[in-house]
Amino acid sequence: QVQLVESGGALVQPGGSLALSCAASGFSFTSAIMYWYRQAPGKERELVARAGTVAGGTYVTDSVKGRFTISRDNAKNMIFLQMNDLKSEDSAVYYCSAFNGVTNYWGQGTQVTVSS
């Protein structure tokens, strides 16, 4: 059974930092492209970052470039999203996703709220 379990979401002040984690199981993690998406109320889900299967093959969307970093630990079947200098517009539910070449899997999400 595939499971993606996110953690680390919280309420944080603008300018603060958070580290999100996603623990994966039930599929071949090293063969999967891993993603972080987010969805704010009333908005479409958007891609935030991607970690490919090749070392160093990462991508972050322009709006978070220089502030967010995605990484993966293949030994632990986990991905991470380090978020620095958070802004109110970063508030959203953050989802971990995996694509194994056939199917997209999704976690349940973790809430990030940036507010003073």
Side-chain angles (χ1 to χ4, degrees):
Q1 182 182 359
V2 173
Q3 281 194 314
L4 294 170
V5 180
E6 303 95 336
S7 61
L11 171 64
V12 63
Q13 292 187 343
S17 297
L18 277 178
L20 304 184
S21 301
C22 172
S25 61
F27 62 97
S28 176
F29 182 80
T30 54
S31 300
I33 302 172
M34 301 299 298
Y35 303 86
W36 285 103
Y37 282 80
R38 67 185 180 186
Q39 188 167 20
K43 294 188 176 181
E44 294 187 355
R45 192 171 296 189
E46 65 169 340
L47 174 66
V48 176
R50 179 185 68 233
T53 57
V54 176
T58 60
Y59 162 86
V60 292
T61 194
D62 285 347
S63 62
V64 307
K65 199 164 290 183
R67 301 189 296 121
F68 290 13
T69 303
I70 186 172
S71 61
R72 64 189 295 164
D73 185 335
N74 288 338
K76 296 182 178 179
N77 284 11
M78 295 187 72
I79 65 166
F80 308 95
L81 187 68
Q82 178 64 43
M83 305 186 293
N84 298 326
D85 189 22
L86 283 160
K87 306 177 187 300
S88 58
E89 53 263 41
D90 296 319
S91 296
V93 178
Y94 283 71
Y95 297 91
C96 172
S97 177
F99 180 62
N100 66 356
V102 176
T103 305
N104 266 111
Y105 303 106
W106 294 90
Q108 294 169 313
T110 186
Q111 177 71 49
V112 172
T113 303
V114 184
S115 175
S116 55

